[in-house]
Amino acid sequence: MSGSDRTAGERTTNPPVRRPADWDAERLRSLAAEYGTPLYVLDPDRVRQNCERLLGAFPDATVDYAVKANTTRTVLETVEQAGLGAECASAGEVRRALDAGFPAERVRYTAVNPPAADLDAVVDWWREGGDGLTVTVGARDALDALAERGYDGRLCVRVNPGVGAGHHEKVTTGDAPQFGVPFDRADEVCTAADDVGEFVGLHAHVGSGVSGEDLSAHEVLVARMAMLADELDPAPEFVSVGGGLGVPYSRDEPPLDLESVADATRDAFDCDARLAVEPGRYVVADAGILLTEATTVKETEETVVVGVDAGMTTLLRPALYDAYHEIRSLSGTVDGDDRHARDPTLCLVAGPVCETADVLGEERVLPAPERGDLLTVGTTGAYGYEMASTYNSRPRPAVVTLDGETVARRETLADLTRLEADGDDDGTRGADTRTADTRGDDA
């Protein structure tokens, strides 16, 4: 049943977040043996289920996927087939969404201080048959830049509502000055947008990873945006109140009650425009897991250090946000019935980068670790592979589905130096921003 076929009175199942222990251990071991580590594993079925829950919770709203959470072709195709739209933060994400099959009318480009090259590309694609595309602007300058390029299509205005929340100060956007036009100037910018093209929507976003007490800030944002929408002339078709739905990464965090969030959003949204939401993390976070192998085990006075082949270049969130990801060993058991189970040991799990920040987890209880152990790092489907880097000249890991389909092959050192090797050309080689589908390549 699609979201449009449901009524707000119907309740949808909101299962607990998928933890490392919920994945098939034997299957994960098999994938690690076949493709090596570090390795990201994605489950498209879980992505599809999460999309269905969102459509069920917001039956009368437009649900767009925040593409930046995970841009792999497999995820995008799964999300598109589920019926969600695509909310894109860059020209590259717009291209990926279009290439994955999203029709232009279900794609929205939310430009934050957009580079000229991004605007050039998006306007070109709009001219080439993407006239249903919607561009969101967060500054008057962006409107002028679009007008200079001849864009007169659908326009949405991002507003700074003066209220923010999120799991970390670095992802609290609703009250940060770089995001959106000031609330008291929204009217004039919306009028200007209608002069440049067709003003169709408002947008605001409180922050990322919102849950628990932070939901009150989300409700305030929704109410403010609804009030603004009713005051505008012309009135917007839709009001996007962002995404940012939190995922409880730790077992100690209460699960997100999606139905209650949806009800509270509807209650606060008192206007005639269509409600739009744009979750990203909720769609993919627990649809992904990271596999890594222990490379060294070292006992110290403070702890037992487990060195692994995944680090901040593989999964940046712990170093950047002090984020928690559950870690589980697949090479022993702490509380099982195995007579040869290893003793539970307090460990520090660290990566191969020579920086103190390169820690995936502190004070984690694992079966007494040994070199060669296979560890899983949970809920890494969102902002895991997406934020991976080649710092220290470390190639990015492979990504495969739970069924063993290659989503992205493992990078090689040759991949890392290819642009340097091509340095004698005119700089245009490989400039096409269209993304290649590498799923058929070997990992």
Side-chain angles (χ1 to χ4, degrees):
M1 182 184 296
S2 69
S4 59
D5 296 325
R6 300 179 189 269
T7 64
E10 294 182 69
R11 312 305 286 181
T12 59
T13 303
N14 192 36
V17 169
R18 192 182 203 181
R19 304 293 179 186
D22 299 325
W23 292 72
D24 185 331
E26 287 304 316
R27 182 58 184 153
L28 295 180
R29 291 189 188 98
S30 175
L31 290 172
E34 181 176 358
Y35 294 98
T37 58
L39 178 70
Y40 276 105
V41 180
L42 286 172
D43 184 358
D45 286 340
R46 185 66 175 192
V47 173
R48 188 175 301 107
Q49 293 162 9
N50 289 340
C51 289
E52 290 172 353
R53 279 188 281 276
L54 285 163
L55 291 171
F58 293 95
D60 301 317
T62 296
V63 182
D64 296 321
Y65 168 60
V67 171
K68 66 179 181 178
N70 189 311
T71 63
T72 57
R73 176 68 71 88
T74 296
V75 165
L76 293 181
E77 288 179 344
T78 302
V79 170
E80 191 281 324
Q81 292 163 10
L84 275 62
E87 191 273 331
C88 305
S90 69
E93 290 182 6
V94 171
R95 187 68 259 166
R96 283 177 178 255
L98 294 172
D99 288 349
F102 285 90
E105 57 268 24
R106 283 166 54 197
V107 176
R108 181 154 48 87
Y109 167 46
T110 301
V112 177
N113 305 322
D118 271 31
L119 293 180
D120 290 341
V122 170
V123 172
D124 282 347
W125 298 328
W126 166 74
R127 285 199 184 96
E128 294 169 0
D131 56 349
L133 179 75
T134 299
V135 176
T136 301
V137 296
R140 181 64 183 265
D141 273 355
L143 273 179
D144 295 340
L146 286 167
E148 291 166 4
R149 289 163 172 77
Y151 181 85
D152 60 2
R154 292 169 57 85
L155 286 164
C156 174
V157 174
R158 180 168 186 168
V159 178
N160 188 313
V163 56
H167 71 83
H168 192 279
E169 62 181 10
K170 294 180 180 178
V171 294
T172 299
T173 59
D175 56 359
Q178 65 263 47
F179 300 108
V181 301
F183 194 84
D184 59 1
R185 291 172 50 197
D187 191 349
E188 64 179 82
V189 177
C190 292
T191 299
D194 205 50
D195 290 337
V196 170
E198 181 187 5
F199 169 64
V200 295
L202 290 173
H203 166 77
H205 179 54
V206 72
S208 184
V210 176
S211 61
E213 296 179 358
D214 289 337
L215 291 175
S216 60
H218 171 71
E219 293 175 54
V220 171
L221 176 145
V222 173
R224 288 185 183 178
M225 296 303 294
M227 177 186 68
L228 176 61
D230 268 353
E231 294 175 350
L232 293 176
D233 183 18
E237 293 177 9
F238 68 87
V239 178
S240 173
V241 296
L245 300 179
V247 171
Y249 287 84
S250 169
R251 290 182 177 273
D252 297 334
E253 298 176 68
L256 179 73
D257 187 340
L258 181 61
E259 296 291 353
S260 294
V261 172
D263 288 344
T265 302
R266 278 188 290 268
D267 289 344
F269 191 73
D270 184 17
C271 75
D272 294 331
R274 182 174 178 83
L275 173 68
V277 294
E278 49 192 52
R281 185 188 312 272
Y282 183 90
V283 174
V284 290
D286 71 346
I289 197 165
L290 172 63
L291 306 182
T292 183
E293 181 178 308
T295 58
T296 57
V297 176
K298 177 173 59 178
E299 294 188 14
T300 70
E301 291 183 3
E302 299 90 351
T303 187
V304 174
V305 178
V306 182
V308 295
D309 59 7
M312 60 188 290
T313 57
T314 317
L315 179 65
L316 181 60
R317 296 189 73 251
L320 184 61
Y321 303 128
D322 296 321
Y324 179 94
H325 287 267
E326 186 177 349
I327 300 175
R328 178 173 183 253
S329 174
L330 295 184
S331 299
T333 177
V334 170
D335 53 359
D337 295 329
D338 188 348
R339 290 177 299 173
H340 304 289
R342 305 179 199 166
D343 293 334
T345 304
L346 198 63
C347 300
L348 171 75
V349 181
V353 179
C354 187
E355 296 195 20
T356 310
D358 192 24
V359 172
L360 296 183
E362 300 180 74
E363 297 184 343
R364 304 302 180 88
V365 177
L366 300 172
E370 298 177 2
R371 181 161 55 89
D373 282 356
L374 182 63
L375 306 182
T376 62
V377 185
T379 51
T380 57
Y383 307 106
Y385 181 74
E386 198 64 29
M387 298 179 78
S389 75
T390 58
Y391 179 48
N392 275 188
S393 289
R394 296 188 186 279
R396 289 181 299 173
V399 185
V400 300
T401 68
L402 195 57
D403 291 335
E405 178 185 11
T406 302
V407 176
R409 65 173 175 81
R410 187 177 304 281
E411 277 187 328
T412 65
L413 287 176
D415 291 326
L416 268 59
T417 58
R418 180 180 60 83
L419 297 180
E420 298 169 33
D422 289 347
D424 58 350
D425 68 17
D426 62 2
T428 61
R429 188 179 305 177
D432 185 2
T433 54
R434 295 175 184 268
T435 55
D437 183 359
T438 61
R439 289 175 298 159
D441 297 335
D442 294 333

